[in-house]
Every structure is written in C-alpha cells, then in structure tokens.
Amino acid sequence: MCRLVKDGAVASGFRIDGLQYCNWSRRIFEQMREAELDAVHVTATYWENTRELLANIGTWHRYFVEHADLIVPVRSAADIDYARATKRTGIVLGLQNCSPIEDSVDLVSVLKELNVHIMQLSYNNQSLLCTGYAEQQDSGLTKFGREVIREMNRVGMVVDTSHTAERSTLEAIEFSSRPTVVSHANPQTARQTARNKSDRVMRALAESGGLMGFSCYPFHLPNGSETTLEQFTEMVAEAVEIMGVQHLAIGTDLCQDQPVEVLTWMRNGNWARVMDYGEGSEEKPDWPASLSWLRGVSDFPKIEQGLRDRGFTPSEVDALMGGNWRSFLEHALAPEKRSEV
Amino acid sequence: MCRLVKDGAVASGFRIDGLQYCNWSRRIFEQMREAELDAVHVTATYWENTRELLANIGTWHRYFVEHADLIVPVRSAADIDYARATKRTGIVLGLQNCSPIEDSVDLVSVLKELNVHIMQLSYNNQSLLCTGYAEQQDSGLTKFGREVIREMNRVGMVVDTSHTAERSTLEAIEFSSRPTVVSHANPQTARQTARNKSDRVMRALAESGGLMGFSCYPFHLPNGSETTLEQFTEMVAEAVEIMGVQHLAIGTDLCQDQPVEVLTWMRNGNWARVMDYGEGSEEKPDWPASLSWLRGVSDFPKIEQGLRDRGFTPSEVDALMGGNWRSFLEHALAPEKRSEV
C-alpha cells in the first residue's frame, strides 16, 4: 500500500480530494488514477430537485459500469480502502445544496440509501435549512434545519457548511451531535471573503472534531489565480496553528473541463432573472484562470510536494493529503447506532 | 426453525406472501407475526411517479425504525432468513406499475439500490413498457419495454406481469433472460377474466423457470367472496397439473383495512375522468366481501391447513406456502453478474 515519492521517501497515506465537480469523462477518471487519488467527494447537486438528483445518480451508475476499471462507488469508508487496494478511485457522492430533499425529512434516509453521504445545508442562498453565505441576513438554523440535522446525524450523512453563512455555520456546528465539515473553503485571514471561514468558525469546527478542506479555487486564495504553491502552503501552516493539523485536509473545488455555461448555472440556478456573477463580475464572468501548479486533477500530488517543502513531517503530509478525510469518514458515514435503514 | 402445526406435524418451510397492499399499521405488522410470515412482497406504487415513490419509501423507512421489533427491510434473499431467524417479517418492496421510472432506464438501478426488487411492467392500462390487461388492444413490448427488461435482468429486479395483457406477458417471458413472475393472479380456467392467466401463459411461465402466486382477491376466484377454501385448493391442484408444484406459490393480494377511496384510486389513478369501476360496477363499487377463511393477514396459515387437507405432501405444502418464493428470490434478487451498482 506504499507509494514511492519523487525524493525517494515512501508515502503510506491516503490521497483524498474533499471536493470536485468536473465535467466527468474517462479522461478525468484516468487522471484521478495518475494522481493516485483513493477517493474524491463529487458534487451531485447544486440546485437540482429530487427527481433531477436521481437522474444524476443514474448517470453515476452508468459511469460505475462503464469505467469500473477506474472508479468504485463508496457505500462506507471501507470502500475507500477497497478502491485503494484495487488501484481505483472511490467516489463519495455529495450535495452542495439541500434542494433534493425538497421539504421532506424522510428523504434524508432515502438519499443515504443511494449513497449520498455528504450534504451542504445551504448553497449560496437561503435554503429551507439555513442561510447561504451570499445573503445579506443570516437567520441561522430553521425549524426544518434542526430536524434535518438530527436525521443526518442518525443515518450518517455528513453536515457540510462550506457555502453556509457564519451564524448558520456556528449554529450547525453547535446543534449537530456529530462532527461537521467545511469540505472546501479557506481561512478569511488568507482572503477576506464571506465564502471563506473566520477564525471563530475554524476554532468551533476543530473543537467539535470537524474537518476543513483547503480550496484551490482562485477566488478563495490570497492572490487569486497567481497564488503560488508556497502561498498556499503558508495558508495551510497558519491554519494549522488555529485548528491543529488533524482537522485540516484538501477540497480542491476543481471544476475541470466545465464550460462557462455551467458556472453561470451554478451561480444562477433557476432562481435569478437578473444575472448573478457570484464571485466574478460583469467584466469577468468566466472561470478564473487555473493555478499554475494545479491545472487539473492529475496535478493533485503537487500539493503533497509543496507541503513537504513547507516542512510538514511525512505523517502531517499524509494526514492533510487524505488521512484525515479517511479517519473522519470512518465514523461519519456509519449510522449513529445499528439501524435497519 | 421449525414450527409446530395444529395436527402435531412440524413445518420446516417458509411462509411468504407474494403480494399485499394493506393500510399498514402496527396492528397489521403484529398480525404478520401471528401468521409467522417470514416475508411479504408489499406494493409501494400503483400510479406514483418517481418523487411520490420516494415519499412512500421514506414512509417505509419510518416503519422500519418504529416497528423494528416486527419487520425488517429485505435487501437480498438472505434478509428473509435473517427476518425468520429473528422472528420478524421481511418486507420486499415492489411496484405494481412502472410509473416511478418515468421515461428513464437509468432509474431501474437507482430504484434497485432503494431495495425495489419487483416491478410490474404495466398495471391495468397501457404503460410505456407494454399493455395492461384492461386495454382493448395488446401491442406487446415497446422499445423502451425491452430496454427496461434488459436492465431489470442486469440489476436483479424481478419482472412481474400480474396485471399485464396476454401478448405482452408472453413477450416479456420470452424476452427476459431471467425467469419472471405473476405475483398474484389465478388460472383463467378457475375464473374466466382477462386479469387471470391462460394455460398458455402458465405453461410459458413454468417452462421459463417462473413463478405464479395464487390470488385470494374474490374477483379472481371461481365463486367470488363465497369461494371456499376447498374450491381454492382445488384450483391449486389443477394448476399444479399444468405448471408443476415448484412454479406455484401464494400472492394473496390482501388489502386489509383499506377504505373504498383507495380502491377508487387504484382503479382511476390520475388518468380517468369518467369513473372506472374496474372489476366492480356502478352498483357494486366497493371492496368485495372478505373470504370467510381469509379475513385478514393473520388468517394466512389457514391456507396451509387447506393444502394439507387437499392431500399435498408436507414438502409440497412448504413449497407452495413460501419455499418456492424463497428459492426464486435467492437467484432473482442477485445482480446478473458482479456489478458495482
């Protein structure tokens, strides 16, 4: 289970990416293998309703058959080990929005049965559960939000607050009986934007046993698309001071091969009539340019080299590159107690 | 694993009911236990679309939690043994219509992942797959119908043609690479109605390794609600001559505690503006009176006694009462070959 790294050292750890939404193709699944990714948390929903999510899951079922030599569905954390042992990449299905449960708490266990293991409580906007980071008012958890978190805790669906506003995030961390995640975001001290997380959120997350994955989306980084790998790992080192290395990981937010129309849909869904440019602008409506050191999925291991160069120990690098995700999911994906569903 | 029967003999076999659509309640689940039912195939859809089915499955998830001492979800045939060993009843989810896959072949594997193990190709009407028994023209399998059967074969979802018209049923038996079932119907020789099955269908079903479950719905029986247990077992004995005992079983079609409104909905769905009375009439729109020997779920074992009295051997009685269903499902619920989904 060991892999030889460039400088002759041996890495025993996992490589797990805590978020991607690529324009999936055999080429990208092959690149996951080039990068020796043991698992990737993939987004199956931004704005979709129940029926639309089921169509997306159906598409994933096709991928699992057609590319069975490259990818494996993750039903429990043990499937990540199985994927790794068979030199394939485990696919962890997740939602960036709660829209597919519509107004029904019962759909939490139904979607869990379809191997939806992670769900954001809100995307950019107010949801039925809580407030997204792009709203002006953050009213915290709703009544339905509390019911849904309780049910997610019961069945083993991870609460993700990456796009959730500050108060709602803090309330979710407090209310959830199980640790939560910020699968893909960065410290606000690295870049001051509502999409990134405050020291207060980061501390609460760490204290509750949660996990934050560093985003590589240029709008979340200190110097945008020009951010160097050294600046990225400096951000990592500073966050480690606040949260401790065991609570940090990677969630690249890679959207490889996606056309601008998908970005426009991610920002506008079905709800905006006046164009919402999100983190872009009318002058710059397109995807930001890629980082020079992360042009796509196959560059994922470069982060590992950067962390070593920053001076992290081999075990710290392993933890950050995937070990922490693996440990977290071991507990997080299991039902709260033996349950029939 | 043996149960003592009234006359002192020991029955080692399974008790499985191949179809029920009761107004589910703790009382009925308790009656399943009184009847020592090891498994029941329950209907989760008559006319529902995808989203509506998911709500029904969500309701079943609640039942599985709330009545965990009485019922168990069946994910594979082994769960029937698990239910039996823990003195509970295994619930096999099935659909009496293909409406929940809407127009998508991809939803077959998605619904299978939700433990939908049996699906009728059509209810009374023409479906997107084939023709129901109540239509005037039977045009056989559609293009989509063939695609769906192929996918059902792949994932291990049983093709059920209980309400399907003759030609469509014969074509489904012929086209399916795996044995099919008529979960609940009777021989047309016992009662001449399009809802029952011809000798030709019964022979084709048996030759293909399929199974037919005898219905106890009065409209399918030789003497309606007045049909005696002796007349019922006479029908069984005659069918055994045609199909062989190993291809026959029970599918009571019990709809215990359902109000007439549910019957009206079963007959009319969302499609009829002019009231369809189905097998009833304007003068008799209500449920037929119960059989004196099968007033509800708890009477299921009386069929066993009737079969013994008819002269069936203990092993034949075991086969008819559930052994055949258990053997059939062993193979039928497993995916065609090792598959990732």
Side-chain angles (χ1 to χ4, degrees):
Chain A
M1 299 303 291
C2 297
R3 57 169 74 92
L4 212 61
V5 294
K6 279 181 187 160
D7 57 6
V10 168
S12 60
F14 286 88
R15 280 191 189 147
I16 298 178
D17 192 348
L19 198 108
Q20 290 185 12
Y21 182 68
C22 299
N23 191 357
W24 309 111
S25 63
R26 183 160 184 89
R27 176 169 159 266
I28 289 177
F29 298 139
E30 286 168 345
Q31 291 179 348
M32 286 180 177
R33 295 315 312 144
E34 286 169 30
E36 296 184 34
L37 275 159
D38 300 307
V40 175
H41 167 211
V42 307
T43 294
T45 288
Y46 285 93
W47 303 105
E48 287 91 336
N49 65 16
T50 312
R51 178 63 180 83
E52 292 164 335
L53 169 62
L54 260 61
N56 293 349
I57 292 176
T59 301
W60 273 107
H61 283 196
R62 286 198 187 216
Y63 294 152
F64 292 138
V65 171
E66 291 168 12
H67 310 291
D69 54 325
L70 301 171
I71 58 172
V72 175
V74 171
R75 297 188 172 91
S76 70
D79 286 333
I80 298 175
D81 305 344
Y82 170 64
R84 183 181 162 106
T86 55
K87 298 189 188 307
R88 294 181 289 177
T89 301
I91 301 295
V92 182
L93 294 180
L95 315 179
Q96 293 217 28
N97 203 347
C98 61
S99 49
I101 65 167
E102 297 181 354
D103 63 355
S104 169
V105 68
D106 284 349
L107 287 204
V108 174
S109 68
V110 174
L111 297 188
K112 173 70 179 180
E113 198 159 50
L114 292 171
N115 298 310
V116 172
H117 296 301
I118 301 174
M119 182 170 81
Q120 286 190 183
L121 301 183
S122 54
Y123 190 52
N124 306 332
N125 291 9
Q126 176 71 39
S127 75
L128 292 183
L129 310 184
C130 68
T131 307
Y133 86 91
E135 294 284 359
Q136 302 216 328
Q137 293 294 319
D138 178 2
S139 48
L141 290 183
T142 65
K143 290 173 66 178
F144 184 41
R146 284 186 281 270
E147 289 290 325
V148 169
I149 290 176
R150 200 180 289 123
E151 181 69 354
M152 292 172 78
N153 289 161
R154 184 179 74 84
V155 304
M157 186 184 287
V158 179
V159 171
D160 187 353
T161 58
S162 298
H163 284 247
T164 298
E166 171 105 358
R167 176 182 162 191
S168 293
T169 298
L170 290 167
E171 288 186 14
I173 292 169
E174 170 72 19
F175 185 81
S176 179
S177 64
R178 305 178 77 173
T180 66
V181 300
V182 169
S183 64
H184 59 302
N186 290 328
Q188 285 179 347
T189 50
R191 179 164 185 152
Q192 185 59 47
T193 152
R195 177 64 180 76
N196 281 336
K197 297 302 175 187
S198 69
D199 282 6
R200 188 175 170 200
V201 164
M202 290 165 66
R203 285 205 174 85
L205 192 65
E207 282 165 14
S208 67
L211 202 66
M212 183 165 103
F214 291 104
S215 165
C216 300
Y217 189 52
F219 287 129
H220 307 158
L221 290 167
N223 203 19
S225 299
E226 306 302 315
T227 304
T228 63
L229 182 53
E230 291 68 31
Q231 288 171 316
F232 179 83
T233 60
E234 185 181 355
M235 173 180 76
V236 173
E238 286 171 5
V240 165
E241 292 302 310
I242 292 174
M243 293 182 69
V245 73
Q246 69 273 33
H247 299 292
L248 291 161
I250 309 293
T252 61
D253 210 359
L254 273 170
C255 294
Q256 193 176 329
D257 296 349
Q258 293 287 19
V260 68
E261 289 75 14
V262 166
L263 178 62
T264 302
W265 168 76
M266 286 159 69
R267 289 168 169 170
N268 291 270
N270 307 310
W271 63 272
R273 183 150 297 202
V274 176
M275 175 78 94
D276 186 310
Y277 292 101
E279 294 159 309
S281 64
E282 192 168 354
E283 295 70 37
K284 294 184 173 177
D286 210 339
W287 293 100
S290 292
L291 300 165
S292 63
W293 45 276
L294 191 72
R295 296 200 177 278
V297 172
S298 53
D299 281 341
F300 189 83
K302 289 188 182 167
I303 300 172
E304 202 166 300
Q305 186 61 49
L307 293 170
R308 277 197 298 270
D309 293 346
R310 169 66 52 188
F312 285 106
T313 67
S315 70
E316 287 172 335
V317 173
D318 279 357
L320 290 164
M321 291 301 293
N324 287 341
W325 267 120
R326 177 64 189 79
S327 303
F328 182 87
L329 295 174
E330 175 75 28
H331 301 286
L333 299 196
E336 203 164 45
K337 53 184 174 182
R338 174 146 174 57
S339 160
E340 297 298 348
V341 292
Chain B
M1 299 303 292
C2 297
R3 58 169 73 92
L4 213 59
V5 294
K6 280 181 188 162
D7 57 4
V10 168
S12 59
F14 286 89
R15 281 194 189 143
I16 298 178
D17 193 348
L19 199 107
Q20 289 185 11
Y21 181 68
C22 299
N23 192 357
W24 308 111
S25 64
R26 183 160 184 91
R27 177 169 158 266
I28 290 177
F29 298 139
E30 286 168 346
Q31 292 180 348
M32 286 180 176
R33 296 316 311 145
E34 286 170 31
E36 297 185 33
L37 274 159
D38 300 308
V40 175
H41 166 212
V42 307
T43 294
T45 288
Y46 286 93
W47 302 105
E48 287 91 334
N49 64 16
T50 312
R51 178 63 180 83
E52 292 164 336
L53 168 61
L54 260 60
N56 293 349
I57 292 176
T59 300
W60 274 106
H61 283 197
R62 286 196 187 215
Y63 294 151
F64 292 138
V65 171
E66 290 167 12
H67 310 292
D69 54 326
L70 301 172
I71 57 172
V72 175
V74 171
R75 298 187 171 91
S76 70
D79 286 333
I80 297 175
D81 305 345
Y82 170 65
R84 184 181 162 105
T86 56
K87 298 189 187 306
R88 294 181 288 176
T89 301
I91 300 294
V92 182
L93 294 179
L95 315 179
Q96 292 216 30
N97 202 348
C98 61
S99 49
I101 66 167
E102 297 180 356
D103 63 354
S104 170
V105 68
D106 285 349
L107 287 204
V108 173
S109 68
V110 174
L111 296 188
K112 173 71 178 178
E113 198 158 51
L114 291 171
N115 298 311
V116 173
H117 295 301
I118 301 174
M119 182 169 80
Q120 285 190 183
L121 301 182
S122 54
Y123 190 53
N124 306 333
N125 290 9
Q126 176 71 38
S127 76
L128 293 182
L129 310 184
C130 68
T131 307
Y133 85 91
E135 293 283 359
Q136 301 217 328
Q137 292 295 319
D138 177 2
S139 48
L141 289 182
T142 65
K143 290 173 67 179
F144 184 41
R146 284 186 281 271
E147 289 291 325
V148 168
I149 290 175
R150 200 181 288 124
E151 181 69 352
M152 292 173 77
N153 288 161
R154 185 179 75 81
V155 304
M157 186 184 286
V158 179
V159 171
D160 187 352
T161 57
S162 297
H163 284 247
T164 298
E166 171 106 358
R167 175 181 162 191
S168 293
T169 298
L170 290 167
E171 288 186 16
I173 293 170
E174 169 73 19
F175 185 81
S176 178
S177 64
R178 306 178 78 172
T180 66
V181 299
V182 170
S183 64
H184 59 302
N186 289 329
Q188 284 179 347
T189 51
R191 178 165 184 150
Q192 185 59 47
T193 153
R195 177 63 180 76
N196 280 337
K197 298 300 176 187
S198 69
D199 282 6
R200 188 174 170 201
V201 163
M202 289 165 65
R203 285 205 174 85
L205 191 65
E207 283 166 13
S208 66
L211 202 66
M212 184 164 100
F214 292 104
S215 165
C216 299
Y217 189 53
F219 287 129
H220 307 158
L221 290 168
N223 202 19
S225 299
E226 306 302 314
T227 304
T228 63
L229 182 53
E230 292 67 31
Q231 289 172 315
F232 179 84
T233 60
E234 184 181 356
M235 172 180 77
V236 173
E238 287 172 5
V240 164
E241 292 302 311
I242 292 173
M243 293 183 69
V245 75
Q246 70 272 34
H247 298 292
L248 290 162
I250 308 292
T252 61
D253 210 358
L254 272 170
C255 294
Q256 191 176 331
D257 295 349
Q258 294 286 19
V260 68
E261 290 74 16
V262 166
L263 179 62
T264 302
W265 167 77
M266 286 159 70
R267 289 168 169 169
N268 292 269
N270 307 310
W271 63 272
R273 184 152 296 202
V274 176
M275 176 77 94
D276 186 310
Y277 292 101
E279 293 160 309
S281 64
E282 192 169 353
E283 294 69 38
K284 294 184 174 178
D286 210 340
W287 293 101
S290 291
L291 300 165
S292 63
W293 44 276
L294 191 73
R295 298 201 177 275
V297 172
S298 52
D299 282 341
F300 190 83
K302 290 189 182 165
I303 300 172
E304 202 167 298
Q305 187 61 49
L307 293 170
R308 276 196 299 270
D309 294 345
R310 169 67 52 189
F312 285 107
T313 66
S315 69
E316 286 172 335
V317 172
D318 280 356
L320 290 165
M321 290 302 293
N324 288 341
W325 266 120
R326 177 64 189 81
S327 304
F328 182 88
L329 294 175
E330 175 76 28
H331 301 286
L333 299 195
E336 202 163 46
K337 52 184 174 183
R338 174 149 172 56
S339 160
E340 299 296 347
V341 292

